[in-house]
C-alpha cells in the first residue's frame, strides 16, 4: 500500500534553533499534504494544508512565519519550526491525500516528536 | 458548524469481549465519508474503517464494523473478539471539504485487558 515517510521521527534541539521535518510520499504523488500537531492525550490539531507549487493555507492561530511549510514537489512537503522554543515541543504528524487510484484515501506519516530544550 | 463528538474518553474491556465506541457528528452535507482511525502507542495513525454516507450498508473490516445511522448522525465502531493489540486511541473523523481536510473527534482511549 501507499506509504508516507516522515523524518526525523524524533529530534531534540536547543531553544532558538530551527528544525526541519520532512514528509515524503514514497510510492504515490500527493498534491495535498496536511500538517498536524498533537499534544499528549489529545486529538490532532490541523496546522496547515500544503499544496504542491503554491503557498500553504494556515489555520487560524498558527504563525506562518514560525512554522514554514514548503511543498516543492509532488512527493515532498517540509515543515520548518523556526527559532524553536520549549512551547513548540510537540508531536507533529503529516498526512498525504492520494491521487488517481488512491483518490479519497489519506495516508499518515509516523510522526515526529520535537523536544526543544 | 461541522463537529465530531466522542463522548467516551476511555474504555476498558477484557480480551475477547466486544466493545463499541461511539461517535456523533454534525454536518449539513449529504454525501461524505466517515473514518475511524487507530493510534497505537507507536503514534502511527492507522485507518481502521471507512463509511460512505450514501451507502446504507454498514462497513465491515474483519473484526471491525460500524453502526452508521445517518439521520441520527451517529457512527459507532464495534470491535468484536477484542485483542491486546487493539489497545490504542481511536479517533472518529470526517472530511471538512473535498480536499480531505479532516475534522477529528477528541478520541477514545481503549484498553484491552488480558
Amino acid at each position: 500500500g501507499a506509504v508516507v515517510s516522515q523524518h526525523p521521527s524524533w529530534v531534540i534541539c536547543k531553544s532558538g534553533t530551527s528544525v526541519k521535518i520532512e514528509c515524503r510520499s514514497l510510492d504515490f504523488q500527493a498534491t495535498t499534504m496536511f500538517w498536524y500537531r498533537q499534544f499528549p492525550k489529545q486529538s490532532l490539531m490541523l496546522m496547515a494544508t500544503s499544496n504542491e507549487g503554491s503557498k500553504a493555507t494556515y489555520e487560524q492561530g498558527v504563525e506562518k512565519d514560525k512554522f514554514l511549510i514548503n511543498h516543492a514537489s509532488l512527493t515532498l512537503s517540509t515543515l520548518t519550526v523556526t527559532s524553536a522554543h520549549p512551547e513548540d515541543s510537540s508531536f507533529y504528524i503529516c498526512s498525504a491525500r492520494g491521487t488517481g487510484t488512491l483518490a479519497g484515501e489519506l495516508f499518515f506519516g509516523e510522526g515526529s516528536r520535537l523536544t526543544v530544550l | 458548524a461541522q463537529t465530531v463528538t466522542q463522548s467516551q474518553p476511555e474504555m476498558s474491556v477484557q480480551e475477547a469481549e466486544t466493545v463499541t465506541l461511539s461517535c456523533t457528528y454534525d454536518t449539513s452535507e449529504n454525501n461524505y465519508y466517515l473514518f475511524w482511525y487507530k493510534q497505537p502507542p507507536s503514534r502511527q495513525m492507522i485507518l481502521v474503517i471507512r463509511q460512505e454516507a450514501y451507502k446504507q450498508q454498514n462497513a465491515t473490516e474483519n473484526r471491525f464494523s460500524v453502526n452508521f445511522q445517518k439521520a441520527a448522525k451517529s457512527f459507532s465502531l464495534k470491535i468484536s473478539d477484542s485483542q491486546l493489540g487493539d489497545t490504542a486511541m481511536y479517533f472518529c473523523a470526517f472530511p471538512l471539504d473535498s480536499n480531505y481536510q479532516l475534522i477529528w473527534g477528541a478520541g477514545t482511549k481503549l484498553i484491552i485487558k488480558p
Side-chain angles (χ1 to χ4, degrees):
Chain A
V3 175
V4 172
S5 176
Q6 204 172 324
H7 178 81
S9 55
W10 61 271
V11 57
I12 301 172
C13 69
K14 292 182 179 180
S15 186
T17 61
S18 294
V19 174
K20 180 184 285 188
I21 300 171
E22 294 186 346
C23 181
R24 292 181 183 273
S25 56
L26 296 186
D27 46 8
F28 68 101
Q29 294 181 334
T31 55
T32 303
M33 290 185 175
F34 302 96
W35 286 96
Y36 296 92
R37 184 172 180 175
Q38 187 179 31
F39 292 102
K41 299 182 180 181
Q42 293 190 24
S43 188
L44 279 69
M45 181 189 77
L46 180 66
M47 299 176 65
T49 301
S50 170
N51 295 298
E52 186 268 337
S54 63
K55 292 183 178 181
T57 303
Y58 289 82
E59 294 302 301
Q60 191 173 7
V62 178
E63 300 176 60
K64 58 182 68 177
D65 294 330
K66 174 75 171 175
F67 299 99
L68 298 179
I69 292 173
N70 184 275
H71 195 156
S73 78
L74 287 171
T75 58
L76 174 65
S77 177
T78 60
L79 167 67
T80 301
V81 183
T82 61
S83 186
H85 290 283
E87 58 265 30
D88 298 325
S89 298
S90 192
F91 192 68
Y92 294 88
I93 303 174
C94 73
S95 71
R97 182 188 169 198
T99 56
T101 57
L102 299 175
E105 304 270 356
L106 276 174
F107 304 95
F108 285 81
E110 310 96 318
S112 300
R113 180 174 300 284
L114 170 64
T115 300
V116 184
L117 302 177
Chain B
Q2 293 166 303
T3 59
V4 178
T5 303
Q6 292 179 252
S7 58
Q8 304 150 313
E10 184 171 322
M11 297 187 72
S12 179
V13 298
Q14 293 292 138
E15 190 176 9
E17 290 184 347
T18 294
V19 60
T20 298
L21 310 182
S22 66
C23 173
T24 58
Y25 60 94
D26 190 22
T27 181
S28 57
E29 299 293 322
N30 192 44
N31 294 320
Y32 47 89
Y33 288 98
L34 291 160
F35 303 95
W36 275 100
Y37 283 93
K38 168 185 177 181
Q39 189 179 36
S42 67
R43 307 295 292 272
Q44 170 77 59
M45 198 67 74
I46 302 166
L47 177 65
V48 175
I49 200 164
R50 178 172 78 167
Q51 174 77 42
E52 297 168 84
Y54 65 88
K55 288 187 176 180
Q56 294 186 340
Q57 186 174 9
N58 290 323
T60 300
E61 289 287 342
N62 300 313
R63 297 183 295 108
F64 300 87
S65 62
V66 301
N67 182 3
F68 174 50
Q69 303 290 329
K70 190 174 182 180
K73 295 180 181 175
S74 171
F75 181 56
S76 61
L77 174 69
K78 186 172 84 170
I79 305 174
S80 304
D81 186 26
S82 58
Q83 301 174 358
L84 297 179
D86 295 333
T87 293
M89 284 290 292
Y90 286 81
F91 294 97
C92 176
F94 77 92
L96 177 64
D97 55 26
S98 58
N99 228 9
Y100 277 70
Q101 178 182 324
L102 295 180
I103 298 175
W104 296 84
T108 296
K109 182 178 182 180
L110 176 64
I111 300 171
I112 308 299
K113 297 180 289 185

